Amino acid sequence: MKKGIVILFAAALGLAACNNYKKGPGGLSYIIHKNGGNAKIKEGDIVKLNFIQKSEKDSVMFNTWDMDQPQVFPVAKKVYAGDMNDVLTLFGEGDSATFKLDLDTMAKHSGQPKPPGTKDKFIVFTIKVEKVLAKAANEADSTFQQKARDFFEKDYKASIEKKKGAEAGKIKKYIADNNLKTTTTASGLQYVISKPGDAVKPVLGDTMMVNYTGKLTTKKSDGKDNVFDTSDEKVAKESGKHNAMAQYGPRPITLGRAIPGFDEGLQLIGKGGKITLIIPSNLAYGEGGMPQGGISPFSPLVFEVELSDIKKPVAAPAGTPGATISPVTPAPATKK
């Protein structure tokens, strides 16, 4: 856990325990943990934030620190007193704070009901204002927008270069921390086979039935594994990734349709085999990452994989020349 986050959490917990929240309009409650001493955010400014979004019962919904993906967005005109845009005007660059937004007030003004089944009164954010690009009073919108694009493009490129430079160290640290003795392929994939499985291995076109857990090489801020996807329902619940609509258990993945490191690794074991894959970003999601999945650019990935079955393509019925069908619904064409 980063030192700054430790301090932030300690402050949040300590002050919250004292019930030291200030009251604001619209049911808003807030605590400023650190005051950076800078001008307050105003409507029209563009901000870069790191934040944790939690339920009132402390269930984490979103954490930009864990994802290593601070969010950048313009501060819009408030819809009602005490909304998200309004509360940001209480803070400035360098500030860290915790605030609670009243869900009943949000529902009233948005016309959208509270999430079904929730008994929470608040949604809770702990934030750090990393950067504020302030719009001058008489500055033309077009001039400011161009300035903002130039600034945040430069900021993004610097962040990408930093992530790129840190990747090799993340892989090395993960292997050392977990005391792994890996084998490295020509592509740069590293792996540990804990169970080789049957002699017959999957080939392109086969549908593999796979149990897996995918995670980042870095831990979450609470010290737990940073899981981004799993077929194991228990792991999904423990990591906060559970989806009531998901089908847990072995999932069908057609060889040749996953990320390159996953495809390569699964060809190293047979049915019943188990393997740990440490996949560098050039064999995963590369420079672009997969933001919607919580994977930032140049992120190496770890997969714990069990190959429970291999299903060969079935010949098409007579009269359908050149076609084959799979006995199971193949995995989506999007990269895993």
Side-chain angles (χ1 to χ4, degrees):
M1 186 185 294
K2 296 179 181 178
K3 183 179 179 182
I5 300 176
V6 174
I7 294 170
L8 185 58
F9 277 136
L13 291 171
L15 289 173
C18 297
N19 197 26
N20 201 25
Y21 282 93
K22 295 181 180 179
K23 298 296 183 182
L28 171 69
S29 300
Y30 68 95
I31 296 172
I32 297 177
H33 306 306
K34 177 184 176 184
N35 188 332
N38 293 304
K40 301 304 181 187
I41 297 166
K42 61 185 184 303
E43 179 187 331
D45 290 350
I46 297 178
V47 298
K48 177 181 177 182
L49 297 179
N50 268 305
F51 65 90
I52 303 168
Q53 178 184 342
K54 299 189 295 184
S55 71
E56 190 176 1
K57 293 180 174 58
D58 225 30
S59 176
V60 175
M61 303 171 185
F62 198 82
N63 187 329
T64 63
W65 279 289
D66 287 347
M67 297 166 59
D68 196 17
Q69 291 182 23
Q71 304 292 294
V72 175
F73 54 89
V75 179
K77 183 180 181 64
K78 67 182 180 184
V79 175
Y80 62 90
D83 71 3
M84 177 66 80
N85 291 299
D86 193 25
V87 70
L88 287 177
T89 63
L90 298 169
F91 315 128
E93 184 175 315
D95 288 3
S96 58
T98 295
F99 58 88
K100 301 178 179 181
L101 298 181
D102 188 284
L103 289 171
D104 291 322
T105 304
M106 290 175 66
K108 175 183 175 182
H109 289 277
S110 68
Q112 300 293 323
K114 290 167 63 173
T118 184
K119 296 181 180 178
D120 288 355
K121 179 172 176 56
F122 299 102
I123 187 168
V124 184
F125 290 86
T126 296
I127 71 166
K128 182 181 179 187
V129 184
E130 304 287 359
K131 178 67 184 177
V132 178
L133 195 65
K135 186 177 186 296
N138 299 317
E139 189 172 13
D141 287 345
S142 58
T143 303
F144 178 66
Q145 292 298 328
Q146 185 59 55
K147 181 173 74 174
R149 281 193 294 270
D150 291 345
F151 177 85
F152 285 108
E153 181 179 352
K154 183 178 179 181
D155 181 73
Y156 178 75
K157 286 181 178 178
S159 172
I160 291 296
E161 285 303 310
K162 184 177 178 181
K163 289 181 172 70
K164 183 178 181 180
E167 181 175 359
K170 289 179 179 178
I171 293 174
K172 183 177 180 180
K173 184 176 187 303
Y174 182 86
I175 291 171
D177 287 350
N178 290 277
N179 196 27
L180 300 177
K181 296 181 189 272
T182 63
T183 300
T184 305
T185 70
S187 70
L189 172 71
Q190 297 192 58
Y191 66 91
V192 177
I193 295 176
S194 55
K195 187 177 179 181
D198 293 347
V200 177
K201 297 177 174 59
V203 296
L204 288 178
D206 287 352
T207 296
M208 306 169 293
M209 300 302 295
V210 179
N211 274 311
Y212 66 89
T213 293
K215 56 189 176 182
L216 304 181
T217 54
T218 51
K219 298 283 189 181
K220 292 168 65 176
S221 51
D222 60 7
K224 295 180 180 179
D225 284 343
N226 210 333
V227 174
F228 59 83
D229 190 18
T230 184
S231 63
D232 186 316
E233 188 166 20
K234 181 181 178 182
V235 173
K237 288 179 177 178
E238 290 173 348
S239 62
K241 295 293 183 180
H242 187 261
N243 181 351
M245 304 299 292
Q247 294 289 324
Y248 290 99
R251 291 177 177 171
I253 298 175
T254 301
L255 192 63
R257 297 177 67 180
I259 56 173
F262 198 88
D263 274 341
E264 181 182 356
L266 265 291
Q267 294 177 78
L268 299 171
I269 56 174
K271 178 179 176 180
K274 295 182 179 181
I275 191 170
T276 299
L277 305 173
I278 298 103
I279 305 177
S281 66
N282 66 306
L283 299 177
Y285 295 100
E287 183 176 352
M290 190 177 68
Q292 69 272 29
I295 300 171
S296 63
F298 292 108
S299 288
L301 308 179
V302 178
F303 279 94
E304 303 285 351
V305 185
E306 178 183 13
L307 180 55
S308 64
D309 201 3
I310 302 171
K311 297 183 181 294
K312 298 291 183 181
V314 177
T320 314
T324 60
I325 59 173
S326 173
V328 297
T329 304
T334 54
K335 297 294 188 182
K336 175 152 287 299

